[in-house]
Structure formats: C-alpha cells, structure tokens
Amino acid sequence: MKYTFITFITIISLVCSFSLYAQVDTKGTDFWVTFGQNYTNGPTGVTLQVRLVGSPGTTVTLWFTETSSSQTLTIPSGGVVTYNLTIVEKTASYCQANGNSNKSIHITASSPVTVYAFNSMDSEGTCDATNLLPVPTLGSDYYYLGYASAGCYSPTGADAYAIIATQDNTQVYHNDVLKTTLNKGQVYYFKESPAIELTGAHITTTKPAALFSVNVIACVPNGSGDNLFQQLASVNTWGKTFLVPKVAKSTADRVRIVASQNGTTITQVGGTIIKGSLNLNAGQYLELQLSVGGQGCYIVSDKPVAVGQYINIDPSLAWIPAIDQRINNALIAPFVPVGNTYIDMHRASIVAPTATKNNTTISIAGSAPQALSGGTWIDNTASGHSYYDMQLTNTNGSYQFANQAGIIVFGYGYPGSSGNGSSYHYVAGSGLRNLDAAFYVNNIHNQDLASEVICTQPTQFRAEITGAMSATAGHLKWYINNVEETTARDQLTWSKTLANGTYQVKMIALSDDDVTTKTVEAMMTVSSSCAGLVTPSSSTVCFGTNSTTLTLSGYWGTITKWQSSVSPFSTWTDIANTTTTLTATNLTQTTQYRAVINGVNITDPATITVSSCAGTITASCETVCEGAGSVTLTLGSYTGTITKWQYAYSPFSTWVDINETTENLVVENLPQTARFRAVINSSTYSDPITITTQPKPTVSITGATAICAGSTSQLSPTSGGTWVSNNTAVATVTNAGVVTGVSSGSVTFTYTRDGGCSASITP
C-alpha cells in the first residue's frame, strides 16, 4: 500500500510575520458551483442565489458554462453583494436529469472572497446553503455525505450528488466504477433511488474536481423534509478531532461520521449512537444524535474521518471541519431569502480554543473590531474548545470574526418568528489544509508555516503520514540546511533547539514500494519572544513636523501597551494603546518604539530618526575675493517655512542673523571666509555651506612709481596670474609683467591671480 507523504522545506527568518490570513482556507479567487433539484420544482420554481463577501471594490465575474454568458459584480462598501440568478441563468445551472451537462457557474474574483450559494424552492420553502471551496483546495478523492429519504416524500426524495470538472478529460468513478469523462466546466449529476443510502459512496476523479451533496429532499428524523446542499471536502483535508456545536432551536441534531480507511476507531462525548458502530471500515458511517443542551459533541478518531451535521428544524447539512482546520479570520454574511422560505433568524456559531476564546473579535460591515456580544460561550471541556452562538442582524453587511489562536465559523438560519419549516446550515470559514500527510512544527501545519511564528523551544517536529511506510532503514530522513539530522532518522517526532535565524528544513519519506518519494516546501519563522515586529511607515521624520505610523505584526496574544524611549534608550515610557497601530507625531529627537505583548513579551524596538529636513544650500560659486564680488546662495529640499538666514566667521561658533526669508540669498563684498545656513520653522537648521574668500593681490612697478615713455618696465608680481593692459595703444604687458611700447597717455594694468582675485595699477 502506498501513502501520500510530505517532504518539507522550512525557512526560518528573524522577521516575525505571524498571520493566518494567508492560510489555505475557504477564501479564494476561483470557484465552481452547480445546483441540484429541489423537491419537484424545475428552475422556474426555485430561487438560486450567490452571496459574495470580500473587500469593497472587488470585482467578481460569474461565467455560465452552458450559455457562454457572464455577469460581473462589484462588492460595495458593506463588503457583501447578493445576486439572484435570472430564469435563463437558473436553467443554465440547475441539474435535474442524471448524466452529463454544462450546468455550472465559474466564479472568479479580483481579490480573495468568500462565496456562498443558496437553493430555495419558492412555493414550499425547502432550502439549504453551502460555502464554496476555492479551486486550489479541491481534490480527487471524496466520500459522499447525505441522507437517504427512506420513503420520505417518495418517490420524489432522493440522495444525489453533482461533480464539476475543473480540467479537461476528467474521469469520474463511483465506488471504483467509471461513470463518465468530463471536460472543464461539465457536470455529472447522479440521483439515487429514494430508499437507497448514498452516504459512504467513494467518488474519485482523475483530476481535481468539485463535489456537491445535493439531496432532492431528505427527512432527517424528528424534522420535516428539506433540500440538502453542501460542497464536500476531499479526503486529504480530513482530520481526527472535531467539535460539533449544538445550534439554537434544533432539538435533535444528527451527526454522521464517515471513514476512508479500514479499522478506523471512533470515540465521542456528547452524542448517542443511532446507527453503526465506533469501529468503521472505509465507506462505513456512524450516526449520532446530539444531546439536548450540553456542550456539543467532541469526536476523536485514530484515522482521518469526515463529519457532517444535520440540524432538524427542517433538515440542512453542514460540513464539520477538523479542529486542525482553524483559521484566524473568517468572513460571513447572512442570506437574504426570498419567496416562502420563512427564514428571518440568521445566526453564527464560532468555535475557538477555550483558553483564548475571549480574544475573539467581530467587525461588522468594515467597522472597528470589537468583542463578541449577544451570545454566550459554551465550553466543551473534553476538547479544550468552546463555541459561541450569536444572531446576525445586518443582512447588508459582512461579519468578520478573528482570533489569532484560530477559529471555525458556521452560519445557519431558520424561521424565528413563525412555526414554519426551512433552514440552512454551512461552514462559513475554515482551513482546507492537506492533513492526510503533513509536517508539523510546534503543531503548526506545513502549509501555514510561511505566515506563522515559532516561539517555543525546543522546536518540535512531527510527521503525520496516512498509509504504510517502507520498512527499510532510512525511510524517513530530516535535514537542516541540507545536512541530515541523523539522530532523527526514521523518527516521526523529534525536537531541536533553534536560535533565531534562517534555516532550511527538509523531510524525505519513502513509501512501502521503496521507490516513491516526494518533496514539499514551505516557510517558517522562529522568534524568541513571539512579540512580533514593529514596522514604521517611515523610519526618518522631519523635526517637529512629520508623522509616522508604526504597525505591529507577527505577534501572538494580546497587546498590553506600547512604549517609547529617547537616547540613550534606557528609560521607557508607557503609551496607553492596545491596537496594532501607533502614530508618532511632532518628534523633536530620535525615538524608539516597542510593544508589550501579554504583559511580558516585548518586541524589538523600531527607531524613528529625526532629521532637520531643513534642506541643502547650493552656491553660484564657493570662492570669492575678500571685500569684492557677489555669490548667490539657494536653499532646496527643505520642509516647512524659512524663518531667517544666518552666517558665522571662523571658528564658526557664533551665528549672526540675516533677516531674509527667501530661498535665494545674495551675498556681496564678503570680507572673510564665512559659513551660511537657513533656519526652518524657527528651530531646525539646514546643512551649512562655506564660502571661502581669497585675499586681493598687491601690485607695484618694480623699483619705481611711474613708467617713462619709451622705456621697458617690470610690474610685480611676475607669476601666478595674468596681466592685461586696458590701452594697448599706450603700452602692452606680458603675463610676466613686462611693459613695452610705452608712449604718452593714460593706461591701467590689471593683474588677475589664479583663483580669480584681481588688482590694478595706473602709472
């Protein structure tokens, strides 16, 4: 027997980025859906509805395979949009006849959304709803969950399923019998005879596909007949521990547990066995009835199982994910039923670890997160988990539940103000991780490691493998930084103390054919505190003017407070803020910020450097002659208002004000070298610029005070510059200062020293 296994690579970095938002879960951008027959009605007698929950502005397209037509929707500000299919669209997506068809809808979104579908009969109110599973999470190995009608509403009632191919040339098998081959978007619909039970049927495909339980009408004992509608998860996502919450009003919920492996043993607390036994083989199921009141039902199996809950107000079916499929953020929106559904009570049930249940928050229609209200936590002591049941009153906005320790959220509805039937029930938010062969680090699944933080040492490594492994030594090998951990060879569990840093971890497993291996990669973060990472929107701000927002991420627990400190960063001042963001404004000196988590753990500080932001001065020239000429100074790249300019002579310790407030300052006849700066906002200073003065040269006639006509004379200095005559008709001069061709008249000789300073003499 071969098994599916994980070979796993983990990268550990110092950057703490704990977040379950990136987990493999019920949110996505690519979905498929089809609808099954609801009682005796055709498409004209039903309301088919799609409910989309996500970020405002997200664009969602519904593509109808049969008609090659589409409908584009945009999620509004409330975060939820409802679309009721037209008669043409209902006809193109509503299955009634066994066999193949094109009756599917392909739903794509511009950003992740949660999608729900609702099937309601207009005249009688039979209805149910399901969440849709993103295409990347779909598998090819399923077991059916439904409920045979057993004569209820015979001959109409019947177990049924519909399967949608997501790729061409997909073969569909029912209990290992080939039923059909589908191309992308095609649907295989199968409706069983009313008295025949389909639960436990093994449905497999050669390529990933979407499987829906679409019972025409079922009579779960102690409830009237109703349509069942639930997309089923593939075997690789099944788990071993489950908490089934008791829903409001329903008095005798039923639970079915289906095994995929022979020799599966079940233990449970909170249910009474109705059918089957606690020992199951593949395809067999156990049926329980939940106790009235109590703490819900806790289920444990030694091999992965599927669990479905049937509420009996009017029957409806919800998939129950394993506790291992918790996520920290789930979006839900109650349906807006039309026709004779009678449903006016919408509720949510939230499962969370008991120890962290009070950290669960809710955000309605994009509002700020707040504590749960309107319900009561029920603690299930056997499981260490609790569930909270509350009413949802806003049918136009989304509800976002969050808890960093993980939650699973269910949605359901029933008639609250009438005695009529009808109900819907579905899982609104959960993980869809691969659990049949997984690698865990400190109980964090490999598919989550990229967005989690490992903070407890020593680090615990655990492999969960379904099926037989090779008996050959070395069938399970572990590596860190490509070096085998030989002491962990063939160990399903082992531990190692890891310092903060980056590591590559790999596990290689060998199946019992001694040939097959597989490698799976992921990312992991190790932090000694798990206090998270403080990230500023800007690490440099201007003196007294700019602001920066610090954001805390990657933490585990509750924010106790923030703290700040200035140089030398030895004393910390508390800031009464328990949110994930802090805005620092009007800083006048470099400051560090940090957050305190759970009253104990402290983040690494983030440093905000305060800069003058007073700009830089450029000059038209940086060397002038003392007492002569001019230079233009220009201030650029500053923030704020120029208060004044200042200058200082050597040793540049005393600054003298210049009452100018323009960006350009003209300096004339500078007597000595000086530095200049601008004052911004009365308190910050630009970088200074130095203007150097050169002394004027001293010129003379060598040995005389005059030049006689007809003579040759010598001017001084004789080098290092250039002499010129302003009247060459009277006399000329060489660069060396030799005067020739002298005749009567007026002449001025000018000497310009290298560097630009000049002086003149008129004999």
Side-chain angles (χ1 to χ4, degrees):
M1 178 180 179
K2 295 182 180 178
Y3 71 99
T4 307
F5 51 85
I6 270 195
T7 307
F8 177 77
I9 292 179
T10 304
I11 303 294
I12 305 171
S13 81
L14 284 170
V15 178
C16 296
S17 56
F18 176 88
S19 170
L20 294 179
Y21 291 90
Q23 287 183 163
V24 181
D25 61 18
T26 47
K27 295 184 289 292
T29 59
D30 192 359
F31 306 84
W32 289 89
V33 69
T34 188
F35 297 88
Q37 181 180 333
N38 190 335
Y39 195 32
T40 60
N41 285 37
T44 58
V46 295
T47 294
L48 305 181
Q49 187 179 103
V50 174
R51 191 86 154 141
L52 305 161
V53 189
S55 300
T58 299
T59 300
V60 184
T61 300
L62 281 61
W63 174 266
F64 296 85
T65 306
E66 187 171 86
T67 58
S68 296
S69 59
S70 63
Q71 183 67 242
T72 299
L73 309 170
T74 300
I75 296 179
S77 58
V80 58
V81 62
T82 301
Y83 183 71
N84 291 306
L85 273 60
T86 67
I87 181 58
V88 173
E89 293 166 343
K90 287 188 291 185
T91 302
S93 56
Y94 186 76
C95 299
Q96 290 179 277
N98 281 10
N100 294 0
S101 72
N102 291 316
K103 296 184 181 298
S104 68
I105 308 173
H106 190 196
I107 302 173
T108 57
S110 60
S111 62
V113 294
T114 305
V115 186
Y116 308 103
F118 187 64
N119 184 343
S120 173
M121 186 174 66
D122 294 338
S123 60
E124 296 292 335
T126 62
C127 64
D128 202 3
T130 183
N131 61 301
L132 301 187
L133 307 183
V135 168
T137 69
L138 300 179
S140 56
D141 189 0
Y142 296 90
Y143 281 84
Y144 176 80
L145 260 176
Y147 213 100
S149 297
C152 170
Y153 290 89
S154 180
T156 304
D159 245 350
Y161 66 80
I163 192 159
I164 309 173
T166 63
Q167 300 179 33
D168 289 343
N169 196 29
T170 298
Q171 294 177 320
V172 179
Y173 292 83
H174 182 136
N175 290 335
D176 297 325
V177 176
L178 178 63
K179 289 294 184 179
T180 189
T181 299
L182 303 174
N183 285 328
K184 182 177 180 179
Q186 287 190 311
V187 179
Y188 175 69
Y189 177 71
F190 178 73
K191 179 171 57 177
E192 187 55 275
S193 300
I196 297 178
E197 182 70 67
L198 271 180
T199 295
H202 193 196
I203 312 299
T204 58
T205 57
T206 54
K207 297 177 182 179
L211 177 66
F212 293 84
S213 176
V214 287
N215 191 296
V216 176
I217 188 166
C219 287
V220 177
N222 302 315
S224 302
D226 207 345
N227 174 253
L228 301 182
F229 186 26
Q230 176 66 59
Q231 185 169 1
L232 304 178
S234 58
V235 170
N236 66 295
T237 67
W238 295 8
K240 300 178 182 178
T241 57
F242 304 81
L243 175 58
V244 184
K246 187 72 178 67
V247 301
K249 190 174 181 179
S250 182
T251 58
D253 295 354
R254 292 294 178 94
V255 174
R256 283 189 169 182
I257 304 166
V258 178
S260 65
Q261 297 181 45
N262 293 336
T264 299
T265 300
I266 310 294
T267 60
Q268 61 85 26
V269 179
T272 301
I273 297 177
I274 300 298
K275 184 177 181 180
S277 74
L278 295 173
N279 297 294
L280 303 174
N281 287 327
Q284 293 181 338
Y285 68 91
L286 166 68
E287 185 169 340
L288 305 173
Q289 181 169 303
L290 266 62
S291 304
V292 176
Q295 303 176 352
C297 183
Y298 178 51
I299 299 167
V300 178
S301 62
D302 65 342
K303 298 179 177 64
V305 294
V307 178
Q309 181 181 15
Y310 306 78
I311 61 176
N312 73 331
I313 304 166
D314 240 20
S316 57
L317 168 62
W319 179 267
I320 305 297
I323 288 174
D324 285 347
Q325 296 290 15
R326 296 193 313 268
I327 57 176
N328 83 335
N329 180 282
L331 282 170
I332 181 177
F335 283 93
V336 185
V338 295
N340 295 324
T341 64
Y342 312 111
I343 296 176
D344 56 8
M345 174 63 72
H346 306 282
R347 304 187 71 85
S349 186
I350 303 98
V351 175
T354 301
T356 60
K357 64 183 182 183
N358 292 325
N359 294 337
T360 307
T361 61
I362 183 175
S363 173
I364 304 174
S367 63
Q370 57 186 306
L372 300 181
S373 61
T376 303
W377 282 105
I378 304 297
D379 297 336
N380 184 281
T381 54
S383 68
H385 285 69
S386 304
Y387 65 91
Y388 189 94
D389 196 282
M390 63 177 290
Q391 185 178 357
L392 307 179
T393 58
N394 188 338
T395 57
N396 296 315
S398 63
Y399 287 77
Q400 179 173 280
F401 296 96
N403 185 326
Q404 284 197 319
I407 53 176
I408 294 173
V409 178
F410 300 91
Y412 67 100
Y414 57 86
S417 58
S418 72
N420 293 303
S422 296
S423 67
Y424 67 83
H425 191 198
Y426 57 89
V427 54
S430 76
L432 289 163
R433 306 175 189 89
N434 186 332
L435 299 182
D436 71 339
F439 178 98
Y440 293 81
V441 177
N442 286 7
N443 292 321
I444 298 174
H445 187 273
N446 61 278
Q447 288 176 288
D448 298 333
L449 283 168
S451 53
E452 299 272 2
V453 176
I454 302 299
C455 51
T456 302
Q457 295 296 332
T459 301
Q460 304 293 326
F461 298 87
R462 172 169 56 91
E464 288 284 346
I465 299 173
T466 299
M469 296 179 66
S470 170
T472 303
H475 56 266
L476 190 62
K477 294 183 179 182
W478 303 81
Y479 298 81
I480 294 182
N481 291 340
N482 289 319
V483 177
E484 185 187 356
E485 296 290 313
T486 55
T487 58
R489 183 180 296 178
D490 297 333
Q491 300 298 312
L492 290 175
T493 61
W494 61 287
S495 63
K496 185 179 180 70
T497 298
L498 296 172
N500 292 352
T502 300
Y503 304 86
Q504 184 186 58
V505 180
K506 181 167 58 177
M507 182 186 82
I508 300 178
L510 181 67
S511 69
D512 60 355
D513 64 1
D514 289 327
V515 174
T516 308
T517 59
K518 186 178 179 181
T519 299
V520 178
E521 298 183 4
M523 299 291 295
M524 183 175 74
T525 300
V526 165
S527 170
S528 58
S529 69
C530 271
L533 178 70
V534 175
T535 305
S537 58
S538 175
S539 58
T540 301
V541 298
C542 296
F543 183 98
T545 57
N546 292 51
S547 65
T548 185
T549 298
L550 300 112
T551 302
L552 175 64
S553 62
Y555 68 97
W556 180 277
T558 302
I559 302 172
T560 305
K561 58 188 174 183
W562 287 73
Q563 294 180 321
S564 65
S565 180
V566 297
S567 182
F569 311 119
S570 57
T571 301
W572 291 87
T573 302
D574 291 344
I575 302 173
N577 181 8
T578 59
T579 68
T580 57
T581 59
L582 174 70
T583 300
T585 59
N586 302 324
L587 297 182
T588 58
Q589 55 186 315
T590 296
T591 307
Q592 289 187 344
Y593 291 89
R594 69 187 188 185
V596 180
I597 310 300
N598 299 326
V600 179
N601 294 330
I602 300 174
T603 65
D604 292 333
T607 302
I608 309 301
T609 301
V610 176
S611 171
S612 68
C613 293
T616 302
I617 300 172
T618 58
S620 57
C621 65
E622 295 186 21
T623 302
V624 296
C625 296
E626 61 184 26
S630 69
V631 60
T632 300
L633 306 176
T634 301
L635 177 66
S637 303
Y638 66 95
T639 301
T641 302
I642 300 174
T643 305
K644 57 189 174 183
W645 287 76
Q646 293 180 323
Y647 73 91
Y649 294 134
S650 181
F652 312 120
S653 57
T654 302
W655 291 89
V656 180
D657 292 344
I658 303 173
N659 294 319
E660 292 289 341
T661 59
T662 61
E663 293 180 349
N664 297 313
L665 176 69
V666 178
V667 179
E668 296 181 329
N669 304 322
L670 187 64
Q672 59 180 294
T673 295
R675 286 182 179 171
F676 293 85
R677 70 184 184 187
V679 182
I680 308 300
N681 300 325
S682 301
S683 56
T684 60
Y685 305 95
S686 69
D687 295 331
I689 189 171
T690 300
I691 305 300
T692 303
T693 60
Q694 291 185 343
K696 296 178 65 175
T698 300
V699 295
S700 63
I701 304 171
T702 302
T705 58
I707 297 175
C708 299
S711 68
T712 298
S713 300
Q714 178 67 52
L715 302 179
S716 180
T718 61
S719 63
T722 302
W723 284 95
V724 295
S725 169
N726 74 329
N727 190 348
T728 57
V730 175
T732 60
V733 62
T734 67
N735 282 347
V738 178
V739 178
T740 59
V742 179
S743 62
S744 298
S746 176
V747 63
T748 298
F749 298 99
T750 300
Y751 175 74
T752 302
R753 187 170 57 198
D754 293 346
C757 292
S758 61
S760 299
I761 185 171
T762 303

